[in-house]
Amino acid sequence: MEIKKKKETAEGGKMEKIISLCKRRGFIYPGSEIYGGLSGAWDYGSFGLSLKNNIKNSWWKKFVEERDDMYGIDAAILMNAKVWEASGHIAGFSDPLVECSKCHSQYRADQIGFPPDHFQNMKKGMPSISYVFVPPKCEKCGSAENWFSPIMFNMMFKTNVGPVEDKGSVSYLRPETAQGMFVNFKNVMDSFHPRLPFGMAQIGKAFRNEISPRDFLFRAREFEQMEIEYFTRESEWEKYFESFRTEILDWLADIGLDKDSIHELEVSAEDRAHYSKRTIDFEFDYPFGRKELLGLAYRTDFDLSAHIGKSGADLSYYDEETKDRFVPHCIEPSFGLDRMILAILCEVYTEDEMGGEKRIFLKFKPTVAPVKVAVFPLLKNKPELVKKAQIIFSELKKEIRPIVFDDNGNIGKRYRRQDEIGTPFCVTIDFDTLENDTVTVRDRDTGKQERVKTGELSSFIKNSLK
Ligand code: ATP
């Protein structure tokens, strides 16, 4: 089967190695694993969570805190179903589903090679054009001829609010955080009276009932988004679209993604979402191919106008200077947090040889590294070393966090463990420490050790972490 073959050979099984490291070292576990898992759901462990928080904080700092024109929001995941009628998600948030009539495996049609025109017409409610194409093979049974015709499958998770399961109680888990911002547009206007241009920003969970979740965190059913809805006058959208384009690239470099691994794709009119007049997908070279990492879209006044139409609320803007009243237009940078984490893991995963042995290490930028420093006593069974190491650990922890104390296994094993976690520095307390109050500081990338006075340790590490 072609797809499986591709996976096995992708950079020598890099994805499998990353998934295995993530589980082994407490970054990411399969969701509900002891019950056989749940497809498309992943649980973050201690170091994964720390990495995730570092990325979120860096994003929030750059796109919200450092600016004067952003308003944060944390809207509820459950929203009135009318939100999704207005936004077009009930009518059109669907993917083409095909089923193998032989083994009944289901797939997203475009992911396994059905031609895009086939379902683009279906999306628009037009009959699919009849033309000749070679049908793809079923990934499970290998059959190529036995496909039921594609149907459009709505990806929103439906639920009921309250004890009665009827039409009136239907709600959905939000498939994007964006609508939580559009429906709060008036609240933000009334509370803060911002002048255009200004933006709203939100980090939160989104849910999509993906037909076939795949590629680890890349396509999950529950994931997190970091989104901005930036409101501007229609005449100025291009200017702000461009400035976000630059800022996105700057931030991706800040968190350690190589600019050569990022590619901008101008999305064609046929492929754009119904609300967009221009979209750039920022793609990343994942081991399984070049795929969308995040999107930048010009959503026009589509959403605010749709909510005005459906709710009757006044979501217009009054310009005091020109005495004009109008509906603002909107630029949306939309980042998938889990895809970002996966991109960083792929970027930093490194194999090399040190001291004649193979090693794996994660070359995180210090700002995103889940652990900044590890402190070790050279030997576990020497109380004087352990005691001194604990004192140094407690002192250092007042200045630098998160840091860990590790006395488990021999020193070589401890270095390897920290390399796999991506800890930039390991501090070892040895017999010389007891004599002259110096420790060794080992650099993760080079393995080189330097002796540093304990009194200068925190400033030495702080400088090196910059
Ligand atoms: P795709 O074409 O890959 O399905 P999309 O274009 O539908 O993605 P958007 O609706 O633009 O995605 O969502 C914004 C961002 O949310 C994406 O760029 C991506 O980073 C993230 N995202 C979307 N779907 C998923 C998913 N199933 N799992 C993880 N992240 C996702």
Side-chain angles (χ1 to χ4, degrees), residues 180-334:
M181 292 184 266
F182 293 121
V183 300
N184 277 292
F185 178 81
K186 187 170 179 338
N187 286 331
V188 169
M189 289 292 295
D190 292 347
S191 306
F192 305 104
H193 309 287
R195 291 272 186 86
L196 284 182
F198 72 91
M200 293 166 73
Q202 171 161 234
I203 300 180
K205 290 263 182 176
F207 302 82
R208 295 184 186 179
N209 198 1
E210 295 280 357
I211 295 166
S212 37
R214 50 180 63 205
D215 298 320
F216 194 27
L217 305 175
F218 181 82
R219 190 168 300 286
R221 288 185 168 132
E222 176 176 341
F223 55 96
E224 261 182 280
Q225 290 184 317
M226 308 187 286
E227 293 195 301
I228 292 167
E229 305 306 327
Y230 195 76
F231 300 101
T232 159
R233 288 172 179 79
E234 183 179 6
S235 57
E236 291 186 316
W237 77 266
E238 275 155 314
K239 177 167 134 196
Y240 295 109
F241 191 93
E242 274 314 309
S243 70
F244 273 113
R245 191 177 178 175
T246 316
E247 284 184 47
I248 287 169
L249 291 172
D250 288 349
W251 182 73
L252 293 177
D254 278 357
I255 57 165
L257 295 181
D258 187 340
K259 67 176 182 356
D260 292 339
S261 317
I262 309 287
H263 309 275
E264 291 181 43
L265 175 81
E266 187 73 49
V267 180
S268 67
E270 311 84 71
D271 288 342
R272 283 199 297 261
H274 58 283
Y275 51 73
S276 170
K277 267 206 180 152
R278 186 177 179 200
T279 298
I280 293 179
D281 283 349
F282 290 75
E283 298 186 318
F284 177 78
D285 290 321
Y286 291 99
F288 44 87
R290 187 172 291 179
K291 297 274 163 75
E292 178 179 333
L293 172 63
L294 68 109
L296 174 63
Y298 167 41
R299 282 181 91 125
T300 69
D301 60 351
F302 175 87
D303 299 272
L304 289 183
S305 297
H307 289 304
I308 292 171
K310 186 85 190 168
S311 68
D314 180 6
L315 307 182
S316 64
Y317 176 85
Y318 181 68
D319 190 326
E320 302 280 353
E321 279 158 35
T322 61
K323 311 289 178 215
D324 264 355
R325 183 168 284 284
F326 57 91
V327 178
H329 279 232
C330 181
I331 311 288
E332 179 195 68
S334 174

Side-chain angles (χ1 to χ4, degrees), residues 19 28 31 46 51 73 76 81 110 114 121 144 162 169 183 190 194 212 257 337 343 351 371 378 384 420 423 457:
I19 295 170
I28 296 148
S46 180
L51 172 63
I73 194 137
D110 53 329
F114 276 86
N121 286 318
S169 68
V183 300
D190 292 347
S212 37
L257 295 181
L337 178 55
E351 291 179 2
V371 178
L378 180 65
E384 64 277 33
E420 288 200 356
T423 308
L457 185 60

Side-chain angles (χ1 to χ4, degrees), residues 125-137:
M126 289 152 59
S128 61
I129 327 157
S130 50
Y131 46 81
V132 183
F133 70 93
V134 183
K137 285 184 182 171

Side-chain angles (χ1 to χ4, degrees), residues 23-69:
K23 181 161 156 30
R24 187 166 73 243
R25 292 295 173 215
F27 281 84
I28 296 148
Y29 309 113
S32 322
E33 195 182 9
I34 60 167
Y35 289 102
L38 179 70
S39 176
W42 298 93
D43 296 342
Y44 283 78
S46 180
F47 293 142
L49 184 58
S50 178
L51 172 63
K52 195 186 216 187
N53 286 337
N54 292 342
I55 296 168
K56 278 190 200 181
N57 292 340
S58 161
W59 187 88
W60 195 259
K61 187 164 166 270
K62 172 155 179 84
F63 290 104
V64 183
E65 283 175 3
E66 286 179 0
R67 304 176 56 128
D68 301 320
D69 57 352

